[in-house]
RNA sequence: CGGGGUGUAGCGUAGCCUGGUAUCGCGCCACAUUUGGGAUGUGGAGGUCGUAGGUUCAAAUCCUGCCACCCCGACCA
């Protein structure tokens, strides 16, 4: 393995790209803007999926699957929705290829034109709500709580591995409710699920909030979000949960009969997180040595590296290593014993650091002799010699300490990078020199928000939930304001 | 869409200006010695030089067209 070291401080974006490739998470495919997620990267995504899926089911949701293709007519039924997505849709127009009789090349058969074009889903509200029309007849059918794991396509002009790819993997929840209150409750509940997952599993602290009108999802009444802060001081939207009101119910004529035998439109939510979370994970914790994975997501939590010179040492060391592997496994710790004999220990140390394995155990003849092992943690790079007595409990404890430490470190960084400002000069200074979130008064108009974006590239990331109300003056216009909002440059 | 760049072995590259049998490193295979922080030696395998055409006795190299991807920006519910 020949690793070109790119320093995080020199070029954050080059560092990120080389990390994704070198840690074997993903690579660019030959299709523009699309990536191949490699087994190690996919294993992390699968762990995210498994944990989220469990949480969705615990909150009463069921999984289902809807088609990849959406008839154009469905897609255009909700006006603001189509406005929001029209510019980035892949469209299927034909269903057959043929050999051109003259050039002998494979070409699209012009005779195989579809009557109605199919949109490759950028999100599935429309096709799902088209089904819900026939699924929902009575108040007894509500709430309808569905989630789908799927791929979607958004034809973005500019892409970045995991953060914004043309095709990406995600889950999208789509629920229907009898009342607005219940739907809003669902929206907030799922936001809490996301926030809890982000902080306790990804170890990425997030701010829960609502989007400004300008940043709201196309077709939503209110968009709730969780916002994270990456190590370069840019914000990342990590998940959204939308209260859709009756917009889609009206567009797709989804009504139910109440107890009182009245026809009412249902109330909707949708919510999603994507493989972008992989980007958040990488950018929040990693360093110049490579990936740093929180134990709760690491496909390999502990790697054991045996060290030996002679054949008889090898036998002894491997025997002890297997013993340790076994007791760790009894604690449901995922352990890899790397007994490859063509690589030196030093090489393996570096390799597992690159891959972010939280704990490394080295065991050599000396350790076998002393009934000890050398334990190294990835997050702090600390090494210590530990007795093998009760090793499984010690490692289990260490893993949970590492999980906490990684989160705390990210939290400290995040909190240090929220700057309250009162003047335009302070605003610019904080944004340029300190980076991160800037907490400032805003007059509440889209006009001002857009002006600020044009001048600074910063957008309103969110209006934090449970925000303190205080009188103030808009940082740009000086107009009256009732609360601070969070601005930042973002991905 | 604008600006910049790249395309040569699995990966990373040299060669291109000044045309003449394809360079080096990593990785891979074999053997030996090694193994507590990215081992060493010896031998070996691996190439339609992105693609199509042109110039030429001869093209990775010069000319023309095309394609693809990457980076920066615009865009991004």
């Amino acid at each position: 393995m020949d690793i070109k070291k790119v320093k995080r401080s020199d070029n954050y974006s080059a560092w990120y790209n080389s990390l994704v490739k070198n840690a074997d998470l993903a690579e660019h495919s030959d299709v523009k803007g699309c990536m191949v997620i490699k087994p190690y990267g996919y294993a992390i995504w699968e762990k995210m999926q498994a944990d989220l899926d469990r949480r969705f089911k615990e909150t009463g949701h069921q999984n289902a699957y809807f088609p990849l293709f959406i008839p154009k007519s469905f897609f255009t039924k909700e006006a603001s929705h189509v406005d929001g997505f029209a510019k980035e849709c892949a469209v299927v127009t034909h269903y057959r290829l043929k050999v051109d009789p003259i050039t002998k090349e494979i070409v699209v058969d012009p005779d195989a034109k579809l009557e109605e074009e199919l949109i490759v889903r950028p999100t599935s509200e429309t096709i799902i709500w088209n089904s819900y029309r026939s699924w929902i007849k009575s108040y007894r059918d509500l709430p309808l709580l569905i989630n789908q794991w799927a791929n979607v396509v958004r034809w973005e002009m500019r892409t970045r591995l995991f953060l914004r790819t043309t095709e990406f993997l995600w889950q999208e929840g789509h629920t229907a409710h009898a009342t607005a209150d219940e739907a809003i409750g669902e929206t907030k509940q799922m936001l809490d699920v996301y926030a809890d997952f982000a902080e306790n599993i990804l170890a990425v602290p997030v701010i829960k909030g609502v989007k400004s009108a300008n940043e709201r999802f196309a077709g939503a009444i209110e968009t709730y979000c969780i916002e994270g802060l990456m190590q370069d001081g840019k914000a990342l939207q990590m998940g959204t949960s939308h209260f859709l009101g009756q917009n889609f119910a009206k567009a797709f004529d989804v009504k139910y009969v109440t107890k009182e035998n009245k026809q009412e439109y249902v109330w909707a939510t949708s919510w999603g997180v994507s493989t972008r979370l992989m980007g958040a994970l990488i950018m929040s914790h990693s360093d110049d040595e490579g990936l740093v994975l929180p134990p709760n997501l690491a496909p390999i939590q502990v790697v054991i590296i045996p060290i030996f010179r002679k054949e008889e040492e090898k036998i002894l060391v491997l025997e002890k290593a297997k013993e340790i592997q076994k007791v760790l496994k009894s604690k449901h710790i995922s352990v890899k014993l790397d007994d490859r004999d063509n690589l030196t220990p030093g090489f393996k140390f570096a390799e597992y650091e690159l891959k972010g394995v939280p704990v490394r155990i080295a065991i050599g003849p000396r350790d076998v002799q002393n009934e000890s092992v050398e334990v190294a943690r990835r997050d702090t790079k600390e090494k210590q010699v530990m007795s093998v007595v009760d090793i499984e409990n010690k490692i289990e404890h260490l893993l949970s300490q590492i999980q906490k430490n990684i989160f705390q470190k990210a939290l400290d960084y995040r909190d240090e990078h929220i700057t309250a400002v009162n003047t335009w000069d302070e605003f610019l200074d904080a944004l340029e020199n300190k980076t991160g979130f800037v907490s400032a008064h805003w007059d509440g108009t889209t006009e001002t928000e857009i002006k600020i974006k044009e001048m600074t590239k910063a957008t309103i990331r969110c209006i934090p939930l449970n925000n303190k109300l205080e009188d103030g003056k808009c940082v740009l216009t000086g107009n009256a304001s009732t609360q601070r909002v969070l601005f930042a440059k973002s991905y």
Side-chain angles (χ1 to χ4, degrees):
Chain A
M1 196 176 302
D2 188 25
I3 302 305
K4 252 201 286 181
K5 282 258 167 123
V6 182
K7 281 194 171 177
R8 187 176 44 183
S9 52
D10 289 351
N11 183 341
Y12 194 81
S13 144
W15 165 80
Y16 175 81
N17 280 327
S18 77
L19 183 51
V20 169
K21 279 179 203 125
N22 292 332
D24 228 13
L25 301 174
E27 61 192 20
H28 290 287
S29 80
D30 285 337
V31 183
K32 184 182 172 61
C34 293
M35 65 177 170
V36 176
I37 304 176
K38 298 187 74 178
Y40 192 61
Y42 202 80
I44 298 170
W45 173 241
E46 283 181 313
K47 293 201 83 166
M48 291 190 192
Q49 279 187 302
D51 195 275
L52 284 166
D53 200 62
R54 180 182 58 73
R55 290 166 190 259
F56 298 156
K57 284 169 182 160
E58 275 173 6
T59 44
H61 302 85
Q62 291 181 291
N63 285 332
Y65 189 79
F66 293 84
L68 169 67
F69 303 117
I70 302 178
K72 193 174 78 182
S73 58
F74 288 12
F75 196 72
T76 53
K77 278 190 183 176
E78 214 287 333
S80 62
H81 187 69
V82 69
D83 274 356
F85 287 104
K87 286 175 290 179
E88 51 190 49
C89 285
V91 183
V92 180
T93 55
H94 293 76
Y95 59 85
R96 193 166 61 213
L97 302 173
K98 68 169 189 180
V99 177
D100 185 296
I102 297 160
T103 65
K104 303 295 177 203
E105 279 176 14
I106 301 287
V107 295
V108 173
D109 184 345
D111 294 335
K113 193 166 190 305
L114 291 171
E115 288 279 312
E116 179 179 2
E117 292 93 340
L118 296 170
I119 313 299
V120 179
R121 62 181 166 215
T123 180
S124 304
E125 275 78 5
T126 57
I127 196 155
I128 288 179
W129 278 85
N130 185 64
S131 287
Y132 282 4
R133 184 172 55 248
S134 58
W135 293 13
I136 298 169
K137 293 297 168 201
S138 150
Y139 73 93
R140 295 180 195 279
D141 298 323
L142 297 172
L144 180 59
L145 305 173
I146 301 290
N147 176 65
Q148 140 163 299
W149 288 98
N151 58 337
V152 289
V153 167
R154 297 182 187 177
W155 215 268
E156 304 280 1
M157 292 176 188
R158 185 121 154 64
T159 56
R160 283 166 75 69
L161 290 167
F162 288 118
L163 296 174
R164 178 174 290 107
T165 46
T166 301
E167 179 191 11
F168 57 93
L169 307 183
W170 78 344
Q171 58 69 217
E172 44 183 327
H174 296 275
T175 68
H177 305 264
T179 66
D181 276 357
E182 191 185 302
I184 292 169
E186 165 79 3
T187 312
K188 289 179 176 169
Q189 172 187 245
M190 298 323 289
L191 188 75
D192 287 341
V193 166
Y194 287 155
D196 193 75
F197 171 78
E199 302 203 328
N200 292 311
I201 306 299
L202 302 181
V204 179
V206 293
I207 294 171
K208 293 188 277 189
V210 294
K211 287 291 185 189
S212 64
N214 190 46
E215 298 276 327
R216 199 175 284 152
F217 177 75
I221 303 293
E222 193 83 275
T223 289
Y224 293 79
C225 63
I226 52 172
E227 292 283 326
L229 189 66
M230 305 299 105
Q231 291 184 85
D232 62 347
K234 281 169 116 174
L236 181 72
Q237 176 177 299
M238 291 172 59
T240 48
S241 184
H242 314 290
F243 171 56
L244 302 173
Q246 293 175 311
N247 292 347
F248 286 92
K250 285 176 180 164
F252 287 88
D253 194 33
V254 184
K255 290 181 198 163
Y256 72 101
V257 178
T258 66
K259 273 186 194 169
E260 294 76 30
N261 199 28
K262 278 190 197 158
Q263 293 279 334
E264 298 277 0
Y265 286 111
V266 302
W267 298 83
T269 82
S270 70
W271 28 274
V273 296
S274 71
T275 35
R276 170 180 266 199
L277 290 179
M278 293 286 293
L281 184 73
I282 299 158
M283 289 201 296
S284 294
H285 309 309
S286 302
D287 60 24
D288 287 344
E289 265 60 58
L291 205 57
V292 176
L293 290 175
N296 286 343
L297 279 181
I300 303 166
Q301 294 172 308
V302 177
V303 63
I304 302 177
I305 299 182
I307 298 164
F308 47 80
R309 293 163 201 272
K310 303 167 198 142
E311 193 60 27
E312 59 266 32
E313 286 179 346
K314 179 177 172 179
I315 292 165
L316 273 177
V317 166
L318 280 180
E319 189 188 1
K320 194 73 197 169
K322 281 177 186 163
E323 225 173 85
I324 292 168
Q325 181 180 33
K326 199 174 165 193
V327 296
L328 290 178
K329 276 186 175 169
S330 75
K331 283 282 186 180
H332 304 291
I333 296 168
S334 141
V335 194
K336 176 175 177 171
L337 170 58
D338 187 348
D339 59 0
R340 290 177 294 176
D341 59 5
N342 58 330
L343 298 170
T344 60
F347 181 91
K348 293 178 187 176
F349 292 173
E351 185 180 29
Y352 290 105
E353 275 164 13
L354 178 61
K355 291 198 152 194
V357 174
V359 172
R360 177 184 80 225
I361 295 178
I363 173 164
R366 218 159 58 203
D367 299 302
V368 175
Q369 186 80 36
N370 301 336
E371 289 282 305
S372 68
V373 289
E374 183 196 77
V375 176
R377 52 190 284 184
R378 176 64 181 88
D379 60 336
T380 60
K381 315 244 175 67
E382 286 164 347
K383 288 192 252 188
Q384 55 174 314
V385 175
M386 244 183 221
S387 150
V388 296
V389 176
D390 203 29
I391 189 78
E392 65 275 26
N393 288 312
K394 288 189 271 192
I395 296 293
E396 187 183 42
H397 179 67
L398 180 61
L399 286 169
S400 83
Q401 270 190 314
I402 291 173
Q403 180 79 27
K404 279 184 200 142
N405 179 58
I406 292 176
F407 174 74
Q408 190 60 45
K409 204 174 153 191
L411 181 64
D412 291 344
Y413 177 86
R414 200 278 310 275
D415 286 346
E416 281 161 20
H417 287 81
I418 301 177
T419 313
V421 303
N422 295 311
T423 68
W424 184 243
D425 283 348
E426 286 172 6
F427 185 92
L428 292 176
D429 182 59
L431 208 57
E432 286 309 310
N433 300 319
K434 193 170 169 191
T435 74
F437 291 112
V438 179
S439 174
H441 279 283
W442 161 61
D443 65 17
T445 67
T446 298
E447 195 191 351
T448 301
E449 182 180 2
I450 289 172
K451 214 175 272 176
I452 291 175
K453 183 181 178 182
E454 281 169 359
M455 294 167 79
T456 65
K457 290 184 188 163
T459 51
I460 296 177
R461 299 321 304 155
C462 71
I463 302 157
L465 296 186
N466 309 317
N467 210 14
K468 194 176 74 179
L469 292 181
E470 60 171 45
D471 288 334
K473 285 182 177 172
C474 174
V475 78
L476 183 69
T477 63
N479 295 337
S481 154
T482 55
Q483 61 180 338
R484 291 174 179 275
V485 301
L486 292 178
F487 287 86
K489 292 184 187 173
S490 73
Y491 280 99

